[in-house]
Amino acid sequence: MLIAGFPAGAWGTNCYLVAPAAGEECVIIDPGHQAAQGVAEAVAKHRLKPVAVVLTHGHIDHVASVVPVCGAHDVPAWIHPADRYMMSDPEKALGRSIGMPLMGELTVGEPDDVKELADGAELKLAGLELTVTHAPGHTKGSVTFRMPEQADVPSVFFAGDLLFAGSIGRTDLPGGDHAEILESLARVVLPLDDSTVVLSGHGPQTSIGRERATNPYLREVAAGLGDGAQRPAPRRGM
């Protein structure tokens, strides 16, 4: 399997290109702010043919390059219906203006072909199997994508902004809900095997085992403590 990832734009949002191998079809996950050039370089380097863009949620730092990337490769974008409006109205999703200079760099709107994700869906794209799990809390339409274990390759979990190395996504923007993200952690993350590789929307790669042992939020949820222990503030991406 080939996974080519890179942090893009002002928020350092991780964009991933996933394919069975170099020279084959691929899926693009979360082409955010200023990601189009990085996508083009990865496609050329690994001789890939994109067939779809899939989005963990609708915040502008994860979707800002959807229109140019989908247009360049004539592919659809997949997003949960609860977050679809954010592609056309990113400032409403943030509850404030993100700033005119930055907005001037963005192509706001939907690509020509938008498909909606459903909880539990099994996407079969580019020779890959992606299990979609609705995981609200960061946004109402946040989802994760999980790829099954294959031969000697462990399962891979694309967490979006649900789970980071040592932290979780912020819940103070419109649609965010701290109790809801804790429930998503308990329902979606805790059942995963410790060997599962976690590729998040921001920050470095980690594993479920490492986060189960060290992440204060995940430890709190696993212990059934709910909300109340002292913890570091959630990562401030977007």
Side-chain angles (χ1 to χ4, degrees):
M1 183 190 307
L2 169 69
I3 301 178
F6 61 93
W11 296 282
T13 304
N14 291 326
C15 176
Y16 301 100
L17 288 82
V18 189
E24 299 194 24
E25 293 181 338
C26 76
V27 171
I28 301 167
I29 300 177
D30 288 355
H33 182 230
Q34 297 180 340
Q37 182 61 36
V39 168
E41 291 172 359
V43 165
K45 177 180 178 179
H46 300 290
R47 310 182 314 282
L48 299 173
K49 177 178 173 48
V51 298
V53 167
V54 297
L55 302 166
T56 62
H57 62 288
H59 279 161
I60 193 67
D61 60 327
H62 289 252
V63 307
S65 295
V66 167
V67 170
V69 168
C70 287
H73 302 285
D74 191 24
V75 300
W78 293 75
I79 191 167
H80 191 277
D83 277 11
R84 182 170 176 172
Y85 75 95
M86 297 186 191
M87 289 194 287
S88 298
D89 195 356
E91 293 188 356
K92 182 178 180 181
L94 301 179
R96 58 180 172 80
S97 171
I98 61 176
M100 290 306 295
L102 182 57
M103 285 296 291
E105 300 174 11
L106 307 180
T107 305
V108 175
E110 293 189 356
D112 291 337
D113 188 1
V114 178
K115 301 182 184 298
E116 295 187 346
L117 297 166
D119 184 40
E122 299 283 347
L123 298 183
K124 298 184 184 300
L125 300 167
L128 305 168
E129 294 183 14
L130 297 172
T131 299
V132 180
T133 304
H134 186 212
H138 180 61
T139 68
K140 293 301 183 186
S142 289
V143 302
T144 65
F145 302 107
R146 182 172 55 83
M147 298 178 60
E149 182 178 354
Q150 303 175 31
D152 295 329
V153 180
S155 178
V156 179
F157 181 64
F158 295 95
D161 286 6
L162 171 64
L163 178 70
F164 303 126
S167 191
I168 60 174
R170 63 191 296 176
T171 58
D172 59 332
L173 295 174
D177 186 307
H178 189 74
E180 202 166 42
I181 203 170
L182 293 181
E183 189 280 330
S184 290
L185 291 170
R187 175 177 50 85
V188 178
V189 176
L190 286 183
L192 299 177
D193 190 85
D194 282 354
S195 65
T196 302
V197 175
V198 179
L199 298 178
S200 300
H202 302 269
Q205 173 180 316
T206 185
S207 70
I208 293 296
R210 182 178 302 140
E211 296 312 300
R212 200 189 308 276
T214 64
N215 188 307
Y217 295 91
L218 203 58
R219 292 179 67 183
E220 176 183 334
V221 171
L225 299 178
D227 189 17
Q230 285 193 335
R231 306 168 303 254
R235 178 186 293 273
R236 296 300 208 193
M238 179 172 288

